[in-house]
């Protein structure tokens, strides 16, 4: 019972798959932390599309995966970058995803927050056009009954002349938001077009502007999601937040320590890595709910190696690994992605992702995962 896996140096190694999955519970609400998984979309593998075509989504499989996350007590962060916003999923597809997922959340009592951006803008835009695009998306999310996440905007990054433009645009949106929102700061490692966000490439200066936005409207900001992959910077920002404003870690490299926190506070979570880690992550937080920080770290710390592998540079292609693991885990019947993004990672990358995920016991049916991994290897000409 072994699998022959390729390595990055051109050789092969023999791996013996795990026989039993990790045992986890489900359903019990999480109490000590609010935890969202940013969820991927499942492509329709039979649609006659190209990478330039509008996304063809398998809605049944996509919504079934959200029910899987909710069943473990996690919230769903919908239509975020994990769902390939701006990388295969256009605004029309995202709008439909928001409507369907928000309705599904209402039917099962699931927690949901949805991304608000400006990706209906396809070329250079003025600040007025950026504001209008944000307003259109904010209205749709609020009408769906979901909480809004104000995502970073490529169009705003291109149009803004300095920090004052960010203060004006975000202030305008926060004043009209019906309910408190989550502000999302996505670093350029996730999207190079966001370099210099908040008006400066100097992160200290950008942080000051970000915090100025929040300080001016603390009643309209539920929390912030920080995705800069710098643990200390997140901690520093967290300690400067107004009372009542939460920090949702988006750091897929350092999440265990940030969620565990310290004597001065902790982060909640809104993470792409919690898509493949959903059941295990929820189990770890339930342990944390009992006050057992060491037990929480014992469960979650070993997952960091897998997360750092999936999110290695170019980080924006982490979605490929997320969908790959969903296929191996049996959450979808194929390894196809909108925009053809399944081609964005190498076979050695997939092989290591399989090995790490299997070692953690992430696959409900290890035999199915092994068979699917061998099928993929055979397509690349690897004999077993």
């Amino acid at each position: 019972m072994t699998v022959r896996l390729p390595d990055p140096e051109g050789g092969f190694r023999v791996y013996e798959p795990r026989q039993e999955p990790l045992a986890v519970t489900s359903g019990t609400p999480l109490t000590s932390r609010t935890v969202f998984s940013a969820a991927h979309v499942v492509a329709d593998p039979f649609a006659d599309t190209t990478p330039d075509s509008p996304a063809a989504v398998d809605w049944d499989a996509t919504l079934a995966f959200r029910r899987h996350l909710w069943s473990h007590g996690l919230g769903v962060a919908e239509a975020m970058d994990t769902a390939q916003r701006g990388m295969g999923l256009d605004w029309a597809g995202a709008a439909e995803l928001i409507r369907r997922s928000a309705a599904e959340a209402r039917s099962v009592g699931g927690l949901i927050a949805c991304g608000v951006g400006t990706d209906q803008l396809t070329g250079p835009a003025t600040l007025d056009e950026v504001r209008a695009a944000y307003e259109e998306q904010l209205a749709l999310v609020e009408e769906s009954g979901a909480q809004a996440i104000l995502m970073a905007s490529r169009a705003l990054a291109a149009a803004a002349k300095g920090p004052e433009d960010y203060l004006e645009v975000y202030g305008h949106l926060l004043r009209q938001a019906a309910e408190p929102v989550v502000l999302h700061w996505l670093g350029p490692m996730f999207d190079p077009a966001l370099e210099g966000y908040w008006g400066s490439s100097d992160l200290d200066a950008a942080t000051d502007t970000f915090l100025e936005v929040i300080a001016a409207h603390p009643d309209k900001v539920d929390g912030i999601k920080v995705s800069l992959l710098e643990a200390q910077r997140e901690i520093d920002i967290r300690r400067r937040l107004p009372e009542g404003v939460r920090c949702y870690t988006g750091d897929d490299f350092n999440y265990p320590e940030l969620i565990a926190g310290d004597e001065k506070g902790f982060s909640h979570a809104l993470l792409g890595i919690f898509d493949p880690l959903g059941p295990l992550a929820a189990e770890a937080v339930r342990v944390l709910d009992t006050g057992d920080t060491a037990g929480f770290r014992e469960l979650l710390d070993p997952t960091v190696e897998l997360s750092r592998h999936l999110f290695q540079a170019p980080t924006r292609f982490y979605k490929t690994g997320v969908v790959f693991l969903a296929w191996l885990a049996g959450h979808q019947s194929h390894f196809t992605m909108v925009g053809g993004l399944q081609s964005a990672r190498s076979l050695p990358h997939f092989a290591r992702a399989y090995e790490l995920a299997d070692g953690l016991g992430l696959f409900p049916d290890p035999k199915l995962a092994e068979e699917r991994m061998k099928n993929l290897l055979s397509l690349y000409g690897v004999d077993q």
Side-chain angles (χ1 to χ4, degrees):
M1 300 289 292
T2 61
V3 184
R4 187 166 170 256
L5 298 174
D7 60 42
E9 288 72 40
F12 290 87
R13 64 187 181 280
V14 174
Y15 174 69
E16 184 174 345
R18 183 170 176 148
Q19 299 304 306
E20 297 293 336
L22 180 71
V24 296
T25 58
S26 64
T28 308
L30 309 181
T31 57
S32 65
R33 305 289 188 273
T34 300
V35 181
F36 289 95
S37 166
H40 74 280
V41 293
V42 182
D44 178 355
F46 305 116
D48 186 13
T49 61
T50 72
D52 295 328
S53 303
V57 177
D58 181 336
W59 293 112
D60 289 342
T62 294
L63 294 177
F65 188 75
R66 280 128 184 87
R67 291 193 296 272
H68 154 72
L69 294 171
W70 285 318
S71 75
H72 288 278
L74 300 170
V76 169
E78 188 56 276
M80 303 289 289
D81 56 298
T82 304
Q84 294 181 245
R85 287 289 290 271
M87 290 186 69
L89 187 71
D90 60 13
W91 166 235
E96 184 67 13
L97 179 64
I98 290 166
R99 294 187 192 99
R100 288 176 181 255
S101 292
E104 195 73 17
R106 289 194 300 273
S107 73
V108 302
L111 179 65
I112 189 168
C114 297
V116 170
T118 63
D119 45 329
Q120 67 269 58
L121 300 173
T122 57
T126 65
L127 288 177
D128 285 343
E129 289 170 332
V130 170
R131 275 194 301 270
Y134 263 130
E135 288 173 337
E136 176 190 356
Q137 296 199 16
L138 178 61
L140 185 145
V141 170
E142 291 183 338
E143 289 166 6
S144 77
Q147 183 179 22
I149 303 170
L150 294 186
M151 300 194 302
S153 162
R154 293 173 180 172
L156 179 55
K161 299 296 190 293
E164 63 282 354
D165 288 336
Y166 289 88
L167 293 170
E168 194 281 325
V169 169
Y170 276 92
H172 178 83
L173 294 169
L174 290 172
R175 283 190 293 272
Q176 65 179 277
E179 300 291 340
V181 308
V182 176
L183 295 182
H184 185 191
W185 185 358
L186 192 69
M189 67 289 293
F190 288 92
D191 186 344
L194 299 177
E195 178 64 44
Y197 212 74
W198 303 110
S200 178
S201 294
D202 181 305
L203 287 180
D204 292 337
T207 296
D208 288 343
T209 302
F210 182 51
L211 290 170
E212 187 176 347
V213 169
I214 299 164
H217 308 276
D219 59 323
K220 289 297 185 75
V221 181
D222 164 67
I224 62 168
K225 170 177 160 41
V226 182
S227 299
L228 298 175
L229 304 183
E230 288 188 21
Q232 190 57 51
R233 182 168 297 278
E234 177 175 321
I235 292 169
D236 293 342
I237 293 172
R238 187 173 74 195
R239 291 175 179 170
R240 296 172 63 186
L241 291 174
E243 185 175 356
V245 176
R246 293 188 271 194
C247 180
Y248 295 91
T249 187
D251 189 330
D252 300 278
F253 283 5
N254 304 292
Y255 50 93
E257 65 189 82
L258 292 165
I259 297 170
D262 55 30
E263 69 282 356
K264 295 183 179 180
F266 57 82
S267 294
H268 299 272
L270 197 167
L271 287 161
I273 191 56
F274 280 6
D275 179 303
L277 290 183
L280 190 159
E283 184 77 3
V285 175
R286 287 191 186 90
V287 171
L288 187 60
D289 290 343
T290 70
D292 184 1
T293 302
F296 165 79
R297 295 294 298 268
E298 185 177 346
L299 278 171
L300 210 55
D301 282 0
T303 69
V304 171
E305 185 178 5
L306 170 64
S307 188
R308 287 179 175 248
H309 177 73
L310 296 183
F311 283 78
Q312 68 183 223
T315 302
R316 64 188 181 277
F317 294 130
Y318 77 87
K319 297 95 166 171
T320 301
V322 164
V323 176
F324 170 68
L325 294 181
W327 171 57
L328 293 185
H331 294 298
Q332 54 195 79
S333 61
H334 58 87
F335 180 35
T336 306
M337 298 176 68
V338 298
L341 204 64
Q342 67 271 12
S343 65
R345 292 294 200 188
S346 68
L347 185 62
H349 180 89
F350 294 137
R352 183 60 177 156
Y354 163 71
E355 187 175 18
L356 291 170
D358 182 71
L360 292 168
L362 294 186
F363 302 129
D365 184 345
K367 184 61 178 175
L368 174 66
E370 178 188 345
E371 291 173 353
R372 289 185 168 182
M373 186 68 224
K374 286 181 175 178
N375 286 339
L376 181 68
L377 290 165
S378 71
L379 288 175
Y380 281 79
V382 179
D383 297 324
Q384 295 299 315

